CSV table of all heavy atoms in Angstrom, one decimal:
chain,number,residue,atom,x,y,z
A,116,MET,N,-121.7,92.0,-164.7
A,116,MET,CA,-120.9,91.3,-163.7
A,116,MET,C,-121.3,89.8,-163.5
A,116,MET,O,-122.5,89.5,-163.5
A,116,MET,CB,-121.1,92.1,-162.4
A,116,MET,CG,-120.1,91.7,-161.3
A,116,MET,SD,-120.6,92.3,-159.7
A,116,MET,CE,-122.1,91.4,-159.3
A,117,ARG,N,-120.3,89.0,-163.4
A,117,ARG,CA,-120.6,87.6,-163.3
A,117,ARG,C,-120.1,87.1,-162.0
A,117,ARG,O,-119.0,87.5,-161.5
A,117,ARG,CB,-119.8,86.7,-164.4
A,117,ARG,CG,-120.2,87.1,-165.8
A,117,ARG,CD,-119.4,86.4,-166.9
A,117,ARG,NE,-120.0,85.0,-166.9
A,117,ARG,CZ,-121.0,84.7,-167.8
A,117,ARG,NH1,-121.6,85.7,-168.4
A,117,ARG,NH2,-121.5,83.5,-167.8
A,118,THR,N,-120.9,86.3,-161.3
A,118,THR,CA,-120.4,85.8,-160.1
A,118,THR,C,-120.2,84.2,-160.3
A,118,THR,O,-121.0,83.6,-161.0
A,118,THR,CB,-121.4,85.9,-159.0
A,118,THR,OG1,-122.8,85.7,-159.4
A,118,THR,CG2,-121.4,87.5,-158.5
A,119,CYS,N,-119.4,83.6,-159.5
A,119,CYS,CA,-119.0,82.2,-159.6
A,119,CYS,C,-120.3,81.4,-159.2
A,119,CYS,O,-120.9,81.7,-158.2
A,119,CYS,CB,-118.0,81.9,-158.7
A,119,CYS,SG,-117.5,80.1,-158.7
A,120,LEU,N,-120.5,80.4,-159.9
A,120,LEU,CA,-121.7,79.5,-159.7
A,120,LEU,C,-121.5,78.6,-158.4
A,120,LEU,O,-122.4,78.2,-157.7
A,120,LEU,CB,-121.9,78.5,-160.9
A,120,LEU,CG,-122.4,79.1,-162.1
A,120,LEU,CD1,-122.4,78.0,-163.2
A,120,LEU,CD2,-123.7,79.8,-162.0
A,121,ARG,N,-120.1,78.4,-158.1
A,121,ARG,CA,-119.9,77.6,-156.9
A,121,ARG,C,-119.8,78.3,-155.6
A,121,ARG,O,-120.3,77.9,-154.6
A,121,ARG,CB,-118.6,76.8,-157.2
A,121,ARG,CG,-118.7,75.9,-158.4
A,121,ARG,CD,-117.4,75.1,-158.6
A,121,ARG,NE,-117.5,74.4,-159.8
A,121,ARG,CZ,-118.0,73.2,-160.0
A,121,ARG,NH1,-118.7,72.7,-159.0
A,121,ARG,NH2,-117.9,72.6,-161.1
A,122,CYS,N,-118.9,79.4,-155.6
A,122,CYS,CA,-118.7,80.1,-154.4
A,122,CYS,C,-119.2,81.6,-154.4
A,122,CYS,O,-119.0,82.3,-153.5
A,122,CYS,CB,-117.2,80.1,-154.1
A,122,CYS,SG,-116.2,81.0,-155.3
A,123,ASN,N,-119.8,82.0,-155.4
A,123,ASN,CA,-120.5,83.3,-155.5
A,123,ASN,C,-119.5,84.5,-155.4
A,123,ASN,O,-119.9,85.5,-155.1
A,123,ASN,CB,-121.5,83.4,-154.4
A,123,ASN,CG,-122.7,84.0,-154.8
A,123,ASN,OD1,-123.2,84.0,-156.0
A,123,ASN,ND2,-123.4,84.9,-154.0
A,124,THR,N,-118.3,84.1,-155.8
A,124,THR,CA,-117.2,85.3,-155.8
A,124,THR,C,-117.3,86.0,-157.1
A,124,THR,O,-117.7,85.4,-158.2
A,124,THR,CB,-115.8,84.6,-155.6
A,124,THR,OG1,-115.7,83.9,-154.4
A,124,THR,CG2,-114.8,85.7,-155.7
A,125,MET,N,-117.0,87.2,-157.1
A,125,MET,CA,-117.0,88.0,-158.4
A,125,MET,C,-115.8,87.5,-159.3
A,125,MET,O,-114.8,87.3,-158.9
A,125,MET,CB,-116.8,89.5,-158.1
A,125,MET,CG,-117.4,90.4,-159.2
A,125,MET,SD,-116.8,92.0,-159.0
A,125,MET,CE,-117.7,92.4,-157.4
A,126,MET,N,-116.2,87.2,-160.5
A,126,MET,CA,-115.2,86.6,-161.4
A,126,MET,C,-114.6,87.5,-162.2
A,126,MET,O,-115.0,88.6,-162.5
A,126,MET,CB,-116.0,85.5,-162.4
A,126,MET,CG,-116.7,84.4,-161.6
A,126,MET,SD,-117.6,83.3,-162.8
A,126,MET,CE,-116.2,82.1,-163.1
A,127,ILE,N,-113.3,87.1,-162.7
A,127,ILE,CA,-112.5,88.0,-163.6
A,127,ILE,C,-113.1,87.6,-165.0
A,127,ILE,O,-112.9,86.6,-165.4
A,127,ILE,CB,-110.9,87.6,-163.4
A,127,ILE,CG1,-110.6,87.8,-162.0
A,127,ILE,CG2,-110.2,88.5,-164.4
A,127,ILE,CD1,-109.2,87.3,-161.7
A,128,GLU,N,-113.5,88.6,-165.7
A,128,GLU,CA,-114.3,88.5,-167.0
A,128,GLU,C,-113.3,88.9,-168.2
A,128,GLU,O,-112.2,89.4,-167.9
A,128,GLU,CB,-115.4,89.4,-167.0
A,128,GLU,CG,-116.5,88.9,-166.0
A,128,GLU,CD,-117.8,89.7,-166.2
A,128,GLU,OE1,-118.3,89.8,-167.3
A,128,GLU,OE2,-118.2,90.5,-165.3
A,129,ASP,N,-113.8,88.6,-169.2
A,129,ASP,CA,-113.4,89.2,-170.6
A,129,ASP,C,-112.0,88.6,-170.9
A,129,ASP,O,-111.1,89.2,-171.5
A,129,ASP,CB,-113.3,90.6,-170.6
A,129,ASP,CG,-113.5,91.3,-171.9
A,129,ASP,OD1,-114.1,90.5,-172.8
A,129,ASP,OD2,-113.0,92.3,-172.1
A,130,LEU,N,-111.6,87.3,-170.4
A,130,LEU,CA,-110.4,86.7,-170.9
A,130,LEU,C,-110.6,86.0,-172.2
A,130,LEU,O,-111.7,85.5,-172.5
A,130,LEU,CB,-110.0,85.7,-169.7
A,130,LEU,CG,-109.8,86.3,-168.4
A,130,LEU,CD1,-109.6,85.3,-167.4
A,130,LEU,CD2,-108.7,87.3,-168.3
A,131,ASP,N,-109.6,85.9,-172.9
A,131,ASP,CA,-109.6,85.2,-174.2
A,131,ASP,C,-109.3,83.8,-174.0
A,131,ASP,O,-108.6,83.3,-173.2
A,131,ASP,CB,-108.5,85.9,-175.2
A,131,ASP,CG,-109.1,87.0,-175.9
A,131,ASP,OD1,-110.3,87.1,-176.2
A,131,ASP,OD2,-108.3,88.0,-176.2
A,132,VAL,N,-110.0,83.0,-174.9
A,132,VAL,CA,-109.8,81.6,-174.9
A,132,VAL,C,-108.6,81.3,-175.8
A,132,VAL,O,-108.5,81.7,-177.0
A,132,VAL,CB,-111.1,80.8,-175.5
A,132,VAL,CG1,-110.9,79.3,-175.5
A,132,VAL,CG2,-112.2,81.2,-174.8
A,133,LYS,N,-107.7,80.5,-175.4
A,133,LYS,CA,-106.5,80.1,-176.3
A,133,LYS,C,-106.4,78.5,-176.3
A,133,LYS,O,-106.1,77.9,-175.3
A,133,LYS,CB,-105.3,80.7,-175.7
A,133,LYS,CG,-104.3,81.1,-176.8
A,133,LYS,CD,-103.4,82.1,-176.4
A,133,LYS,CE,-102.7,82.8,-177.6
A,133,LYS,NZ,-101.9,83.8,-177.3
A,134,VAL,N,-106.7,78.0,-177.4
A,134,VAL,CA,-106.5,76.6,-177.7
A,134,VAL,C,-105.4,76.5,-178.7
A,134,VAL,O,-105.5,76.9,-179.8
A,134,VAL,CB,-107.8,75.9,-178.2
A,134,VAL,CG1,-107.5,74.4,-178.4
A,134,VAL,CG2,-108.8,76.1,-177.1
A,135,ASP,N,-104.3,75.9,-178.2
A,135,ASP,CA,-103.1,75.8,-179.2
A,135,ASP,C,-103.3,74.5,-180.0
A,135,ASP,O,-102.8,73.5,-179.7
A,135,ASP,CB,-101.9,75.6,-178.2
A,135,ASP,CG,-100.7,76.0,-179.1
A,135,ASP,OD1,-100.8,76.5,-180.2
A,135,ASP,OD2,-99.5,76.0,-178.5
A,136,MET,N,-104.0,74.8,-181.1
A,136,MET,CA,-104.1,73.7,-182.1
A,136,MET,C,-103.8,74.2,-183.4
A,136,MET,O,-104.7,74.6,-184.2
A,136,MET,CB,-105.6,73.1,-182.0
A,136,MET,CG,-105.7,71.5,-182.1
A,136,MET,SD,-107.4,71.0,-181.6
A,136,MET,CE,-108.3,71.6,-183.0
A,137,GLN,N,-102.5,74.3,-183.7
A,137,GLN,CA,-102.1,75.0,-184.8
A,137,GLN,C,-102.7,76.4,-185.1
A,137,GLN,O,-103.2,76.7,-186.1
A,137,GLN,CB,-102.5,74.1,-186.1
A,137,GLN,CG,-101.7,72.7,-186.0
A,137,GLN,CD,-102.1,71.8,-187.1
A,137,GLN,OE1,-103.3,71.9,-187.7
A,137,GLN,NE2,-101.4,70.7,-187.3
A,138,GLY,N,-102.9,77.1,-183.9
A,138,GLY,CA,-103.2,78.5,-184.0
A,138,GLY,C,-104.8,78.5,-184.3
A,138,GLY,O,-105.3,79.7,-184.5
A,139,TYR,N,-105.5,77.5,-184.2
A,139,TYR,CA,-106.9,77.5,-184.3
A,139,TYR,C,-107.6,77.8,-183.1
A,139,TYR,O,-107.4,76.9,-182.1
A,139,TYR,CB,-107.3,76.2,-185.1
A,139,TYR,CG,-108.3,76.4,-186.2
A,139,TYR,CD1,-107.8,76.7,-187.4
A,139,TYR,CD2,-109.6,76.3,-186.1
A,139,TYR,CE1,-108.5,76.9,-188.6
A,139,TYR,CE2,-110.5,76.5,-187.3
A,139,TYR,CZ,-109.9,76.7,-188.4
A,139,TYR,OH,-110.7,76.9,-189.5
A,140,GLY,N,-108.5,78.8,-183.0
A,140,GLY,CA,-109.1,79.0,-181.7
A,140,GLY,C,-110.5,78.3,-181.6
A,140,GLY,O,-111.0,77.6,-182.6
A,141,ILE,N,-111.2,78.3,-180.6
A,141,ILE,CA,-112.5,77.8,-180.5
A,141,ILE,C,-113.6,78.8,-181.1
A,141,ILE,O,-113.3,80.0,-180.9
A,141,ILE,CB,-112.9,77.6,-178.9
A,141,ILE,CG1,-112.0,76.5,-178.3
A,141,ILE,CG2,-114.3,77.3,-178.8
A,141,ILE,CD1,-112.2,76.3,-176.8
A,142,LYS,N,-114.5,78.3,-181.8
A,142,LYS,CA,-115.5,79.1,-182.4
A,142,LYS,C,-116.8,78.5,-182.1
A,142,LYS,O,-117.0,77.3,-182.2
A,142,LYS,CB,-115.3,79.2,-183.9
A,142,LYS,CG,-114.2,80.2,-184.2
A,142,LYS,CD,-114.0,80.3,-185.8
A,142,LYS,CE,-112.9,81.2,-186.0
A,142,LYS,NZ,-112.5,81.0,-187.4
A,143,ILE,N,-117.7,79.3,-181.8
A,143,ILE,CA,-119.1,78.8,-181.5
A,143,ILE,C,-119.9,79.1,-182.8
A,143,ILE,O,-119.9,80.2,-183.4
A,143,ILE,CB,-119.8,79.7,-180.4
A,143,ILE,CG1,-118.9,79.7,-179.1
A,143,ILE,CG2,-121.2,79.2,-180.1
A,143,ILE,CD1,-118.8,78.3,-178.6
A,144,THR,N,-120.6,78.0,-183.3
A,144,THR,CA,-121.3,78.1,-184.5
A,144,THR,C,-122.8,77.9,-184.2
A,144,THR,O,-123.1,77.1,-183.3
A,144,THR,CB,-120.8,77.3,-185.6
A,144,THR,OG1,-120.8,76.0,-185.1
A,144,THR,CG2,-119.5,77.6,-186.0
A,145,LYS,N,-123.6,78.4,-185.0
A,145,LYS,CA,-125.0,78.3,-185.0
A,145,LYS,C,-125.3,76.8,-185.3
A,145,LYS,O,-124.9,76.4,-186.4
A,145,LYS,CB,-125.8,79.2,-185.7
A,145,LYS,CG,-126.9,79.9,-185.0
A,145,LYS,CD,-127.5,81.0,-185.8
A,145,LYS,CE,-128.7,81.8,-185.2
A,145,LYS,NZ,-129.1,82.9,-186.0
A,146,LYS,N,-126.3,76.2,-184.6
A,146,LYS,CA,-126.8,74.8,-184.9
A,146,LYS,C,-127.4,74.9,-186.3
A,146,LYS,O,-128.3,75.6,-186.6
A,146,LYS,CB,-127.7,74.4,-183.9
A,146,LYS,CG,-127.4,72.9,-183.4
A,146,LYS,CD,-128.5,72.5,-182.2
A,146,LYS,CE,-127.9,71.2,-181.7
A,146,LYS,NZ,-129.0,71.0,-180.6
A,147,GLY,N,-126.9,73.9,-187.2
A,147,GLY,CA,-127.6,73.7,-188.4
A,147,GLY,C,-127.1,74.6,-189.5
A,147,GLY,O,-127.3,74.4,-190.7
A,148,VAL,N,-126.5,75.6,-189.1
A,148,VAL,CA,-125.8,76.5,-190.1
A,148,VAL,C,-124.4,76.5,-190.2
A,148,VAL,O,-123.6,77.0,-189.5
A,148,VAL,CB,-126.2,78.0,-189.9
A,148,VAL,CG1,-125.9,78.8,-191.0
A,148,VAL,CG2,-127.7,78.1,-189.6
A,149,PHE,N,-123.8,75.4,-190.8
A,149,PHE,CA,-122.5,75.0,-190.7
A,149,PHE,C,-121.6,76.2,-191.3
A,149,PHE,O,-121.8,76.7,-192.3
A,149,PHE,CB,-122.2,73.8,-191.6
A,149,PHE,CG,-120.7,73.3,-191.4
A,149,PHE,CD1,-120.4,72.6,-190.2
A,149,PHE,CD2,-119.8,73.4,-192.4
A,149,PHE,CE1,-119.1,72.1,-190.1
A,149,PHE,CE2,-118.6,72.9,-192.2
A,149,PHE,CZ,-118.2,72.3,-191.1
A,150,GLY,N,-120.6,76.5,-190.4
A,150,GLY,CA,-119.7,77.5,-190.8
A,150,GLY,C,-120.1,78.9,-190.5
A,150,GLY,O,-119.3,79.9,-190.7
A,151,ASP,N,-121.3,79.1,-190.0
A,151,ASP,CA,-121.7,80.3,-189.6
A,151,ASP,C,-121.2,80.7,-188.2
A,151,ASP,O,-121.9,80.4,-187.3
A,151,ASP,CB,-123.2,80.5,-189.8
A,151,ASP,CG,-123.8,81.9,-189.3
A,151,ASP,OD1,-122.9,82.8,-189.4
A,151,ASP,OD2,-125.0,82.0,-189.1
A,152,THR,N,-120.1,81.4,-188.2
A,152,THR,CA,-119.6,81.7,-186.8
A,152,THR,C,-120.4,82.8,-186.1
A,152,THR,O,-120.7,83.8,-186.8
A,152,THR,CB,-118.1,82.2,-187.0
A,152,THR,OG1,-117.4,81.1,-187.7
A,152,THR,CG2,-117.5,82.5,-185.6
A,153,VAL,N,-120.7,82.5,-185.0
A,153,VAL,CA,-121.5,83.4,-184.1
A,153,VAL,C,-120.6,84.5,-183.4
A,153,VAL,O,-120.6,85.6,-183.8
A,153,VAL,CB,-122.4,82.7,-183.1
A,153,VAL,CG1,-123.1,83.7,-182.2
A,153,VAL,CG2,-123.5,81.8,-183.8
A,154,LYS,N,-119.8,83.9,-182.6
A,154,LYS,CA,-118.9,84.6,-181.9
A,154,LYS,C,-117.9,83.9,-181.1
A,154,LYS,O,-118.2,82.8,-180.7
A,154,LYS,CB,-119.7,85.5,-180.8
A,154,LYS,CG,-119.0,86.7,-180.2
A,154,LYS,CD,-119.0,87.9,-181.0
A,154,LYS,CE,-118.3,89.0,-180.3
A,154,LYS,NZ,-118.2,90.2,-181.1
A,155,LYS,N,-116.6,84.4,-181.0
A,155,LYS,CA,-115.7,83.7,-180.2
A,155,LYS,C,-116.1,83.8,-178.7
A,155,LYS,O,-116.4,84.9,-178.3
A,155,LYS,CB,-114.3,84.2,-180.5
A,155,LYS,CG,-113.6,83.7,-181.8
A,155,LYS,CD,-112.3,84.4,-182.0
A,155,LYS,CE,-111.2,83.7,-181.3
A,155,LYS,NZ,-109.9,84.2,-181.7
A,156,PRO,N,-116.0,82.8,-178.1
A,156,PRO,CA,-116.4,82.8,-176.6
A,156,PRO,C,-115.3,83.6,-175.8
A,156,PRO,O,-114.1,83.6,-176.1
A,156,PRO,CB,-116.4,81.4,-176.3
A,156,PRO,CG,-115.6,80.7,-177.1
A,156,PRO,CD,-115.7,81.4,-178.4
A,157,LYS,N,-115.7,84.1,-174.6
A,157,LYS,CA,-114.9,84.7,-173.8
A,157,LYS,C,-114.9,83.7,-172.4
A,157,LYS,O,-115.7,82.9,-172.3
A,157,LYS,CB,-115.4,86.0,-173.3
A,157,LYS,CG,-115.3,87.1,-174.4
A,157,LYS,CD,-113.9,87.6,-174.5
A,157,LYS,CE,-114.0,88.8,-175.5
A,157,LYS,NZ,-112.6,89.4,-175.6
A,158,VAL,N,-113.9,84.0,-171.7
A,158,VAL,CA,-113.9,83.2,-170.4
A,158,VAL,C,-113.8,84.1,-169.2
A,158,VAL,O,-113.3,85.2,-169.2
A,158,VAL,CB,-112.5,82.3,-170.4
A,158,VAL,CG1,-112.4,81.6,-169.1
A,158,VAL,CG2,-112.6,81.3,-171.5
A,159,ALA,N,-114.6,83.7,-168.2
A,159,ALA,CA,-114.5,84.3,-166.9
A,159,ALA,C,-113.9,83.3,-165.9
A,159,ALA,O,-114.2,82.0,-165.9
A,159,ALA,CB,-115.8,84.7,-166.3
A,160,VAL,N,-112.9,83.7,-165.0
A,160,VAL,CA,-112.3,82.8,-164.1
A,160,VAL,C,-112.6,83.3,-162.6
A,160,VAL,O,-112.6,84.4,-162.3
A,160,VAL,CB,-110.8,82.7,-164.3
A,160,VAL,CG1,-110.1,81.8,-163.3
A,160,VAL,CG2,-110.5,82.2,-165.7
A,161,CYS,N,-112.9,82.4,-161.8
A,161,CYS,CA,-113.1,82.7,-160.4
A,161,CYS,C,-111.7,82.6,-159.7
A,161,CYS,O,-111.1,81.7,-159.6
A,161,CYS,CB,-114.1,81.8,-159.8
A,161,CYS,SG,-114.2,81.9,-158.0
A,162,PRO,N,-111.4,83.8,-159.0
A,162,PRO,CA,-110.1,83.8,-158.4
A,162,PRO,C,-110.1,83.2,-157.0
A,162,PRO,O,-109.0,82.9,-156.5
A,162,PRO,CB,-109.9,85.4,-158.1
A,162,PRO,CG,-111.3,85.9,-158.1
A,162,PRO,CD,-112.1,85.0,-159.0
A,163,GLN,N,-111.2,82.7,-156.6
A,163,GLN,CA,-111.4,82.0,-155.3
A,163,GLN,C,-111.2,80.5,-155.5
A,163,GLN,O,-110.4,79.9,-154.8
A,163,GLN,CB,-112.8,82.3,-154.8
A,163,GLN,CG,-113.0,81.9,-153.3
A,163,GLN,CD,-112.0,82.7,-152.4
A,163,GLN,OE1,-111.7,83.9,-152.6
A,163,GLN,NE2,-111.5,82.1,-151.3
A,164,CYS,N,-111.9,79.9,-156.4
A,164,CYS,CA,-112.0,78.4,-156.6
A,164,CYS,C,-111.5,78.0,-157.9
A,164,CYS,O,-111.2,76.7,-158.1
A,164,CYS,CB,-113.3,78.0,-156.2
A,164,CYS,SG,-114.5,78.2,-157.6
A,165,GLY,N,-111.2,78.9,-158.9
A,165,GLY,CA,-110.7,78.4,-160.1
A,165,GLY,C,-111.8,78.0,-161.1
A,165,GLY,O,-111.5,77.5,-162.2
A,166,GLU,N,-112.9,78.2,-160.8
A,166,GLU,CA,-114.1,77.8,-161.7
A,166,GLU,C,-114.0,78.6,-163.0
A,166,GLU,O,-113.8,79.8,-162.9
A,166,GLU,CB,-115.5,78.1,-161.0
A,166,GLU,CG,-116.6,77.9,-162.0
A,166,GLU,CD,-116.9,76.4,-162.1
A,166,GLU,OE1,-116.4,75.6,-161.5
A,166,GLU,OE2,-118.0,76.3,-163.0
A,167,ILE,N,-114.1,78.0,-164.1
A,167,ILE,CA,-114.1,78.7,-165.3
A,167,ILE,C,-115.5,78.7,-166.0
A,167,ILE,O,-116.2,77.6,-166.0
A,167,ILE,CB,-113.0,77.9,-166.3
A,167,ILE,CG1,-111.7,78.2,-165.8
A,167,ILE,CG2,-113.2,78.6,-167.7
A,167,ILE,CD1,-110.6,77.4,-166.7
A,168,SER,N,-115.8,79.9,-166.5
A,168,SER,CA,-117.1,79.9,-167.2
A,168,SER,C,-117.0,80.5,-168.6
A,168,SER,O,-116.4,81.6,-168.7
A,168,SER,CB,-118.0,80.9,-166.3
A,168,SER,OG,-119.3,81.2,-166.8
A,169,PHE,N,-117.5,79.8,-169.5
A,169,PHE,CA,-117.5,80.2,-170.9
A,169,PHE,C,-118.7,81.1,-171.1
A,169,PHE,O,-119.8,80.7,-170.6
A,169,PHE,CB,-117.6,79.1,-171.9
A,169,PHE,CG,-116.2,78.5,-172.1
A,169,PHE,CD1,-115.8,77.4,-171.3
A,169,PHE,CD2,-115.4,79.0,-173.1
A,169,PHE,CE1,-114.6,76.8,-171.5
A,169,PHE,CE2,-114.1,78.4,-173.2
A,169,PHE,CZ,-113.8,77.3,-172.6
A,170,TYR,N,-118.6,82.2,-171.9
A,170,TYR,CA,-119.8,83.0,-172.2
A,170,TYR,C,-119.6,83.7,-173.5
A,170,TYR,O,-118.4,83.8,-174.0
A,170,TYR,CB,-120.2,83.9,-171.1
A,170,TYR,CG,-119.1,85.0,-170.8
A,170,TYR,CD1,-119.3,86.3,-171.4
A,170,TYR,CD2,-118.0,84.8,-170.1
A,170,TYR,CE1,-118.4,87.3,-171.2
A,170,TYR,CE2,-117.1,85.8,-169.8
A,170,TYR,CZ,-117.3,87.1,-170.5
A,170,TYR,OH,-116.4,88.1,-170.3
A,171,ILE,N,-120.6,84.2,-174.1
A,171,ILE,CA,-120.5,85.0,-175.4
A,171,ILE,C,-121.0,86.3,-175.0
A,171,ILE,O,-122.0,86.5,-174.5
A,171,ILE,CB,-121.4,84.3,-176.5
A,171,ILE,CG1,-120.7,83.0,-176.8
A,171,ILE,CG2,-121.4,85.2,-177.7
A,171,ILE,CD1,-121.4,82.2,-177.9
A,172,GLY,N,-120.2,87.4,-175.4
A,172,GLY,CA,-120.5,88.7,-175.0
A,172,GLY,C,-121.7,89.3,-175.8
A,172,GLY,O,-122.6,89.9,-175.3
A,173,ASP,N,-121.7,88.9,-177.1
A,173,ASP,CA,-122.7,89.5,-178.0
A,173,ASP,C,-123.7,88.4,-178.5
A,173,ASP,O,-123.3,87.6,-179.2
A,173,ASP,CB,-122.1,90.2,-179.3
A,173,ASP,CG,-123.1,90.8,-180.2
A,173,ASP,OD1,-124.2,91.0,-179.7
A,173,ASP,OD2,-122.7,91.2,-181.3
A,174,LEU,N,-124.8,88.5,-178.0
A,174,LEU,CA,-125.9,87.4,-178.2
A,174,LEU,C,-126.8,87.7,-179.3
A,174,LEU,O,-127.7,87.0,-179.7
A,174,LEU,CB,-126.7,87.1,-176.9
A,174,LEU,CG,-125.8,86.4,-175.9
A,174,LEU,CD1,-126.7,86.3,-174.6
A,174,LEU,CD2,-125.2,85.0,-176.3
A,175,ASP,N,-126.6,88.9,-180.0
A,175,ASP,CA,-127.6,89.2,-181.0
A,175,ASP,C,-127.6,88.2,-182.1
A,175,ASP,O,-128.8,88.1,-182.6
A,175,ASP,CB,-127.2,90.6,-181.6
A,175,ASP,CG,-127.5,91.7,-180.6
A,175,ASP,OD1,-128.2,91.5,-179.6
A,175,ASP,OD2,-127.0,92.8,-180.7
A,176,LYS,N,-126.6,87.7,-182.5
A,176,LYS,CA,-126.5,86.8,-183.6
A,176,LYS,C,-127.3,85.5,-183.3
A,176,LYS,O,-127.9,84.7,-184.2
A,176,LYS,CB,-125.2,86.4,-184.1
A,176,LYS,CG,-124.6,87.5,-185.0
A,176,LYS,CD,-123.3,87.1,-185.7
A,176,LYS,CE,-122.7,88.0,-186.7
A,176,LYS,NZ,-121.5,87.4,-187.3
A,177,LEU,N,-127.3,85.0,-182.1
A,177,LEU,CA,-127.9,83.9,-181.6
A,177,LEU,C,-129.5,84.0,-181.6
A,177,LEU,O,-130.2,83.1,-182.0
A,177,LEU,CB,-127.4,83.4,-180.2
A,177,LEU,CG,-126.1,82.8,-180.2
A,177,LEU,CD1,-125.7,82.5,-178.8
A,177,LEU,CD2,-126.2,81.5,-180.9
A,178,LYS,N,-129.8,85.2,-181.3
A,178,LYS,CA,-131.3,85.5,-181.1
A,178,LYS,C,-132.0,85.4,-182.5
A,178,LYS,O,-133.1,85.1,-182.6
A,178,LYS,CB,-131.5,86.8,-180.4
A,178,LYS,CG,-131.2,86.7,-178.8
A,178,LYS,CD,-131.3,88.1,-178.3
A,178,LYS,CE,-130.7,88.0,-176.8
A,178,LYS,NZ,-130.4,89.4,-176.2
A,179,GLY,N,-131.3,86.1,-183.4
A,179,GLY,CA,-131.9,86.2,-184.8
A,179,GLY,C,-132.4,84.8,-185.3
A,179,GLY,O,-133.1,84.7,-186.0
B,414,ZN,ZN1,-115.7,80.2,-157.3
């Protein structure tokens, strides 16, 4: 469960990121390993103040 950093409201999680750039989405890659996609980020939105929070659901690849 994620709470808003600003107003501490429970956020709506697990939303997809959509960047309309010729169908290309945002991808998070590991530093120094070009092209190694870690995971597509998810977004949580606060219904109270509209704060948006990016996060990655599966952090296993980052830890390795
Ligand atoms: Zn908020």
Side-chain angles (χ1 to χ4, degrees):
M116 185 189 78
R117 301 176 79 83
T118 50
C119 179
L120 293 173
R121 297 183 191 278
C122 65
N123 222 33
T124 302
M125 205 187 296
M126 297 181 92
I127 301 167
E128 295 182 60
D129 211 26
L130 301 171
D131 275 325
V132 185
K133 211 158 199 178
V134 177
D135 202 2
M136 225 168 63
Q137 295 172 344
Y139 230 82
I141 294 178
K142 281 177 182 166
I143 307 296
T144 54
K145 225 172 186 177
K146 225 178 190 179
V148 190
F149 187 74
D151 183 16
T152 303
V153 175
K154 190 87 178 174
K155 281 175 85 175
K157 293 279 189 177
V158 173
V160 178
C161 172
Q163 191 67 34
C164 71
E166 173 78 5
I167 292 176
S168 176
F169 279 94
Y170 67 99
I171 295 177
D173 181 11
L174 291 174
D175 286 348
K176 278 192 175 182
L177 282 175
K178 289 171 187 166

